Structure formats: C-alpha cells, structure tokens
Amino acid sequence: MEKFEILKSTAVPLPIENIDTDQIIPARFLKAVDRNGFGENLFRDWRYDQEGKQKMDFVLNSTVLNGKILVAGANFGCGSSREHAAWALVDYGFKVIVSSYFADIFKSNALNNGLLPVTVSKSYLAEVFQTIGENPNTKFEVDLESQTFVNIKKEATFSFEIDPYKKMCLLNAYDDIDFLISQKEEIEKFEERDCKVVSVK
Amino acid sequence: MGKTLFDKIWEAHVVKQIEGGREIFYIDKHFIHEVTSPQAFNGLRRRSLPVLRPSQTVATADHNVPTINQHLPIIEPLSKLQVDTLIKNCADFGVELYGLGHENQGIVHVIGPELGLTQPGMTIVCGDSHTSTHGAFGCIAFGIGTSQVEQVLATQCLLQMKPKKMRINLDGELDKGVLSKDLILYLLSKLGTGGATGHFIEYAGSAISALSMEARMTVCNMSIELGARGGMIAPDEKTFEYIKGRTFSPSGSAFHEAVEKWKNLFSDEDAEFDKEYSFDANEIEPMLTYGTNPGMGIKVTELVPSQSDHENESSFKKALEYMGLKPGQNLSEMQIEHVFIGSCTNSRIEDLRLVAEFVKGKKVAAHVKASIVPGSKRVEQQAIKEGIAEITKAAGFEFRQPGCSACLGMNDDKVPAGNYCVSTSNRNFEGRQGPGARTILVSPLTAASCAIEGKIVDVRKFL
C-alpha cells in the first residue's frame, strides 16, 4: 500500500447504479492465488465482447475519458465480498472512487488497499457527471488531509467524511493487521474472559 | 434502555475500543475456502506468523470445485491450483480441511450449521458475503475481504465500526406454495438492493418464528442482497432442537448449560433500532426477479414494472435490455431454457425434499436443462438415502455433486449467453451464471414447477 497524497486528476464517469462486484471482476477471473494482474479483467464483460474485442461504447475504452478517479452511480460495489474487486481497480490505476454511497464490504476492502471511497451527496454526484459530460478534461482534486473533493471547474468543494482511524491509515500507508498484531496481549487476555453469552474454546 | 440481540452479542465480543469509534472485535469461528484465502495465507508467510487459533478455523473447498467426478483430479488447471493451494495452506498452518471427497465437504454456509459448528451467540466470519446465513442461529455473522481473512487468521480479531441496527417484522402467515425465499425476495422488492446498507438486520414476528431453521437460513442468507452487513433471528426451541446432537454441538449437560445461556439471546422489549419496518406475510406471493439485481423482483401475478423505485431510468433500462424484457411485459408462460436448484440459499435437504415431492412422477420439459446441486456431501448422501436423487433423476434432472456451481459460474456449470435460467440462487447480476446468462431468481418450488412446465408459472396452480 502507498501513502495517499493529494490527487489532481481527470475522472472516468460510470453513471450506473448498483454496480456489483461481479461486474467489477467476474467470478471466472478469481482463480489466481496472488493479488496481481486483476486490472486486465476489470469490468471485463462491459469492456470486451465474448471474442475479446473492445466494446468501444464502454467508458474504459474511450479515447477521450481517462483518469485516476472513477465516478459511479449509487451503491457501488454491492454483492460479493471479493477483495479482487478492489485489487482490480487499484491494479488498473484508480486511486479514488466517487459515489453517493458504497456497499459496506467493498468500502472496507477499498480502504484496506489504499483506494479511497469518497461519498458525496446525490446532487453533487449529478453535478460531477454533468461537468465531465461538458468537458472530459475537467480536473478534480482530492485532498484526504482536509477531507475535500473539489470540482475545479465549478469551484464546488464537497467535504466528505471518513473515520479518523482509516484516514490515518491511508495517509501513512498503515495496515489494520499491524495494529491488531500489536494488541496480541489484550486479545489473549480477552480470550480468558468469563463470557456471559457463550463460551467458545 | 434495553438491548437488542445484536447489541448483546456485539458487546460480549469487544476486546477494546480504540480512538475514532473503531473496536477490536473478537471472532469465535472463522470459515475459509479456496478462492478468498490464498492471498491471506501468503500474507502470514510474508510476516512469518502462525494461524493464532487453528481450532476456531475450518476450511472447505466449494466455490471452484467441479460438481461431477469429484473422485478424479480436477481438470481445469487454475481451479486445481486453488484447491491444491488450500490443501497445502491448511496442512502448513494446522487448519482442519473438509476437502473434496471428505464426508463433511460442502458449501461453507451449508456445512457450518449442519455440523453444529454454528451456534447461537457466536461471532462468525468468512471471506464470502453470504456468511450472513449463519445469523439464522442468533449469531453475528458477516462476510469479509481477504485482507480481513488475514487479520482473523493472525489475530482472531477485526477492527470494526459497530453498524446501525434495523428490525424487520413479519407477521401473518405465508400462503401455500410461498416459501421463505419468496419472503426475502419480497423484502428485497420493497427495500431495494441498498435498502439496508450500513445496518445489521434482525428479522422478527410470527411469520419468521413459524419458519424452519433451514427456511430461516434462506432469509438470513440474502440479507447481504439488501446491502446489510448481516441478518439474524433470535434463537428459540426450534434452534436448540436443530443444534442438538450434531457433530460439533455441545452434548449432555454441556448442551443444557448452553441452552440456558442461549435463552438470553433476544432483543429486550424496550430495545431501540435505528430503523424498523413491518410487513404482512399474507401479502406475499411466489416471487421472481426480472432485472439484474435481487431487488428487481415482482410477484408472479404482476407485470414487469415500467419504472423502478430503486434504480434510475438508465440503470433500469440497461437491466431490462440485458434481460431481453420490456416494461409492462407479462412473464407468465415465458419460455425458459435452464433450471438451477442449488447454492447456499437453497440447497439443503428441505429444499430438495420439496422439489422431489413436486416432480415425483412428472417430467422436466424437453427443452429445459435442469440440474440439482446439493449443498453438501451430507445433503447429497441424505438425498440418496431418501430416494430424492432417484426421483429427481427419473424426472429428468441432473443430480450433481456438492459445490457452489452455477450460482456464480466459476467452474464449468455455466448458463449459455442469452438463455433464461430459473435459479434458486441469490444473485441475478449480469453474467453471474455465465457471460450473457439471464437469471430469474425464485424459490425451489417455483423452480421445480418451471422445470416441469418449461416456462414461468405460478406454482400454486399445481398444488
């Protein structure tokens, strides 16, 4: 994982709602035993036809639209818990996903891979889509430290929320696992508890 | 203020609160499988860490396994690599594996409950979103990503923000021919596929209490399709009866002591929920989906709507186009090509009994390819013993071996592009059952009746 720095980039619009992780990375591409190379098959069935030819009407094949920010419709990342979806987006080169809300497991997976999910209001999202539609070269600025997403053309800033712990992790490229391992003593102490609900050993 | 069932179990598993609202959350039981675990084990190796509590970890091979000739080596090289990697990882790290050929093998959310590994009051995770299934026993059970699988393997804990709480009350009675699958598809049609995002659901009410344990698992299983972190049902006598005598259930006096503890697992009368909904079970009919997410569902007597409450216009249009359907279309009598009975939603023995009873002495329509994939080796063996395998084969079904199969099309069990598949699984996403495949989600009874008729029908006409 890399430290999250201030990002200035054009954005790729995908104004479809409820994009599930089967679209982000279809199950037949989950057969790898490592984390690399999933970007090749990102949005596979929207990007390529069954003969493997590019579908030119899909935004990732556009010669005009590109960037490190993906802007998507509501409930992005619903469905399967596959972290391969986050790996594929990161491997392809995305750093930020913007939507009006994210599915819970996807959001957690994204954060664990240095991919920042930015939740904006429905109306702000609509405006972002409109701005990109008017000018695909519009740049957006994402500043995690100040928790702002700026539509530079419209001078419209959205202050997004993120929990302070995850923010600290992204800014410093820390993993949850390092923190949890440091808590081993506490965890072992907890295991000796007299559990009121149920005991598992 | 009283506590919810969810609060009671959650609070009993918080090791420590940390700044910013996160909590170190203890996991009692960790299920793993071949697809979402290899990268987690690689992480342990990189850090030279052991699995902290192998005795609380159970593995099986389900997502990527063939459902015929399981006694032979796996032909597909990448699938074989994943299954072999799981075998090696479990051996290296001392984790119990119910692999292909083992009598306990099966879909992870089928074997947990049937082996008595799933018990009330537990916290359970797995790198699979349908882990919510186990909530039927009064557990906090939810799906996690692979980084989190690694965290649980290494520390038996996760860093969690406590989700919000939702209760869905269902009173009344389900009509004949209406199953718990219809109940959850009905809730999905009402609340949409993001309707419970950020929440943990408790299902309550007389229509829920009336369900068998296996029917309750179907409801909790699809909580994730509502966007919920998980779903749960307070344990009762049915729960205790189901658990009694299973391989890993407590026995003798330990069982009675456990039951006394489990009896405290309910939401107090004055407990508060962040959101609460109530529905009338009498309103529910056999359901089917027409779109490309499980929230796009209708009663079998309804027409495809002309717009959706849950999707914007372009997403709605895109879904109908993929499905080859039109707004206002009547799906009744529409020809179908495939029927799939299986998945962690509906592949248990009760599901197969219902199907067998319905198709006994009948024949699957000549143009339909119908298959049954039992949820586990034990379900398969029971189905053979009860004559279910024979009855369904005589009716023209293929009776295959356990695995996730055509629910997600990772193995060879795929539906060809453009074909309609009436399926008891949980997701009708684009390409879920194979590129271009068109999935219609239904109950096992509806699936059985559609297989026989070769088209979409209202199962109640045949009961």
Side-chain angles (χ1 to χ4, degrees):
Chain A
M1 208 160 97
E2 291 169 17
K3 287 184 183 180
F4 194 95
E5 314 265 355
I6 292 178
L7 176 72
K8 229 183 225 178
S9 170
T10 49
V12 179
L14 200 48
I16 299 165
E17 298 186 326
N18 303 315
I19 295 176
D20 58 81
T21 53
D22 274 82
Q23 305 319 313
I24 300 172
I25 182 94
R28 61 188 192 280
F29 300 110
L30 307 184
K31 296 184 183 185
V33 292
D34 54 37
R35 291 177 180 232
N36 308 320
F38 289 101
E40 255 175 64
N41 294 311
L42 176 69
F43 292 114
R44 175 75 201 197
D45 294 334
W46 287 356
R47 224 165 122 195
Y48 301 99
D49 66 16
Q50 291 197 37
E51 279 79 50
K53 267 198 357 229
Q54 286 193 344
K55 293 184 182 176
M56 292 320 289
D57 58 349
F58 184 61
V59 69
L60 290 199
N61 296 325
S62 161
T63 48
V64 185
L65 292 154
N66 55 57
K68 294 181 187 309
I69 301 170
L70 180 68
V71 187
N75 198 22
F76 185 81
C78 61
S80 155
S81 61
R82 61 190 69 165
E83 193 162 316
H84 312 67
W87 298 337
L89 288 158
V90 171
D91 191 46
Y92 184 85
F94 287 117
K95 302 261 184 213
V96 172
I97 315 285
V98 180
S99 184
S100 57
Y101 70 95
F102 293 89
D104 293 323
I105 307 178
F106 174 79
K107 192 167 158 183
S108 152
N109 288 340
L111 288 166
N112 281 336
N113 287 280
L115 178 66
L116 177 65
V118 172
T119 305
V120 299
S121 69
K122 234 174 145 174
S123 57
Y124 190 88
L125 184 69
E127 196 181 71
V128 172
F129 281 131
Q130 199 196 345
T131 311
I132 304 170
E134 285 162 10
N135 180 3
N137 298 320
T138 306
K139 288 207 169 171
F140 298 86
E141 185 181 282
V142 189
D143 183 349
L144 176 57
E145 184 69 60
S146 69
Q147 297 180 215
T148 52
F149 182 87
V150 188
N151 180 339
I152 294 172
K153 186 171 172 228
K154 300 248 165 170
E155 294 179 356
T157 299
F158 193 93
S159 298
F160 61 87
E161 287 181 23
I162 180 168
D163 89 71
Y165 168 78
K166 272 300 169 194
K167 178 177 170 179
M168 183 272 293
C169 286
L170 285 177
L171 287 172
N172 299 292
Y174 292 159
D175 286 333
D176 284 359
I177 194 162
D178 297 319
F179 177 77
L180 284 169
I181 291 165
S182 75
Q183 303 292 308
K184 197 172 167 214
E185 251 178 62
E186 300 257 5
I187 294 168
E188 286 179 341
K189 217 189 305 164
F190 176 84
E191 287 181 315
E192 288 158 18
R193 76 205 190 278
D194 175 26
C195 181
K196 290 191 193 73
V197 180
V198 69
S199 59
V200 184
K201 269 282 161 139
Chain B
M1 195 177 70
K3 287 181 179 173
T4 67
L5 166 64
F6 178 78
D7 291 329
K8 289 178 187 179
I9 303 172
W10 184 277
E11 285 167 15
H13 288 85
V14 174
V15 174
K16 187 177 159 183
Q17 293 196 323
I18 60 164
E19 260 176 77
R22 292 220 164 213
E23 291 166 322
I24 302 176
F25 186 69
Y26 190 80
I27 302 303
D28 293 324
K29 195 69 77 184
H30 187 194
F31 293 111
I32 60 173
H33 63 84
E34 77 277 23
V35 176
T36 58
S37 68
Q39 295 86 351
F41 281 108
N42 287 349
L44 294 186
R45 285 199 181 89
R46 223 172 18 244
R47 293 168 196 267
S48 304
L49 288 170
V51 171
L52 183 68
R53 299 288 174 247
S55 65
Q56 288 166 233
T57 314
V58 177
T60 192
D62 56 0
H63 279 66
N64 203 354
V65 299
T67 55
I68 47 164
N69 292 328
Q70 288 186 345
H71 62 291
L72 297 176
I74 299 175
I75 298 166
E76 215 275 314
L78 290 174
S79 301
K80 183 173 186 319
L81 173 66
Q82 255 183 354
V83 173
D84 288 348
T85 303
L86 181 70
I87 294 170
K88 180 174 174 10
N89 285 335
C90 288
D92 288 357
F93 288 87
V95 171
E96 184 81 59
L97 167 64
Y98 302 137
L100 280 188
H102 194 287
E103 60 173 356
N104 293 344
Q105 181 266 340
I107 304 176
V108 61
H109 312 308
V110 175
I111 67 168
E114 85 181 355
L115 294 173
L117 290 163
T118 301
Q119 294 168 22
M122 281 185 173
T123 51
I124 299 177
V125 294
C126 173
D128 187 280
S129 60
H130 291 110
T131 308
S132 57
T133 313
H134 306 264
F137 291 79
C139 302
I140 293 183
F142 54 92
I144 55 176
T146 297
S147 296
Q148 292 175 312
V149 171
E150 185 180 338
Q151 290 159 26
V152 178
L153 289 173
T155 69
Q156 208 58 37
C157 285
L158 287 171
L159 275 171
Q160 289 288 295
M161 292 281 268
K162 192 178 178 186
K164 290 181 187 159
K165 294 161 288 181
M166 176 187 287
R167 181 158 60 189
I168 300 180
N169 302 295
L170 274 142
D171 286 310
E173 268 180 59
L174 293 177
D175 193 9
K176 199 176 174 200
V178 179
L179 305 182
S180 71
K181 177 63 164 288
D182 299 303
L183 186 157
I184 188 68
L185 287 173
Y186 176 81
L187 292 179
L188 273 152
S189 74
K190 293 287 176 193
L191 301 176
T193 191
T197 301
H199 291 76
F200 213 98
I201 303 172
E202 180 180 344
Y203 301 95
S206 60
I208 296 292
S209 310
L211 298 176
S212 71
M213 286 313 295
E214 295 194 355
R216 291 178 193 183
M217 284 187 238
T218 302
V219 174
C220 290
N221 172 276
M222 289 187 74
S223 302
I224 181 70
E225 314 314 335
L226 284 160
R229 287 296 276 128
M232 66 202 307
I233 296 169
D236 59 12
E237 288 301 327
K238 274 186 198 169
T239 319
F240 311 145
E241 198 48 45
Y242 182 97
I243 294 170
K244 197 176 175 180
R246 294 192 180 259
T247 311
F248 295 101
S249 302
S251 58
S253 62
F255 178 77
H256 296 290
E257 280 168 35
V259 168
E260 286 315 304
K261 285 181 186 167
W262 296 340
K263 283 182 176 167
N264 297 318
L265 295 170
F266 55 85
S267 288
D268 297 332
E269 258 179 46
D270 55 344
E272 281 184 20
F273 292 81
D274 298 287
K275 254 188 195 166
E276 191 148 9
Y277 294 100
S278 292
F279 296 96
D280 180 359
N282 298 293
E283 290 291 311
I284 305 173
E285 294 181 22
M287 298 288 296
L288 44 96
T289 58
Y290 62 86
T292 54
N293 73 57
M296 301 176 87
I298 47 175
K299 292 174 180 174
V300 68
T301 52
E302 290 175 337
L303 307 177
V304 173
S306 53
Q307 59 180 41
S308 162
D309 297 338
H310 309 301
E311 283 79 26
N312 65 14
E313 205 185 327
S314 60
S315 304
F316 178 73
K317 270 192 185 156
K318 184 180 188 313
L320 286 197
E321 197 177 307
Y322 179 84
M323 290 298 292
L325 301 175
K326 293 194 167 53
Q329 189 172 336
N330 186 354
L331 299 188
S332 178
E333 307 288 308
M334 186 180 83
Q335 185 171 306
I336 54 149
E337 287 83 28
H338 281 252
V339 170
F340 171 65
I341 294 172
S343 87
C344 57
T345 314
N346 284 121
S347 63
R348 297 179 180 82
I349 193 69
E350 286 180 12
D351 298 318
L352 304 197
R353 281 181 191 139
L354 281 171
V355 171
E357 199 189 338
F358 187 89
V359 305
K360 192 174 184 177
K362 301 184 179 114
K363 283 278 178 201
V364 169
H367 66 276
V368 170
K369 185 177 181 313
S371 57
I372 296 176
V373 181
S376 71
K377 209 71 198 156
R378 288 186 180 218
V379 171
E380 178 198 39
Q381 293 308 307
Q382 185 66 24
I384 291 168
K385 205 169 108 188
E386 292 183 20
I388 291 170
E390 210 173 312
I391 292 167
T392 53
K393 277 193 249 178
F397 282 87
E398 240 191 304
F399 193 89
R400 299 178 73 97
Q401 292 175 304
C404 297
S405 183
C407 173
L408 82 166
M410 269 198 86
N411 65 359
D412 291 337
D413 308 349
K414 289 184 178 70
V415 176
N419 279 15
Y420 287 104
C421 178
V422 165
S423 176
T424 68
S425 55
N426 40 56
R427 288 182 176 142
N428 50 343
F429 297 151
E430 282 184 36
R432 173 81 176 179
Q433 297 194 290
R438 293 164 167 170
T439 304
I440 297 173
L441 300 176
V442 297
S443 80
L445 260 184
T446 295
S449 59
C450 293
I452 302 299
E453 299 301 317
K455 55 193 181 183
I456 302 286
V457 290
D458 184 342
V459 64
R460 293 173 299 183
K461 290 182 186 157
F462 303 91
L463 296 175

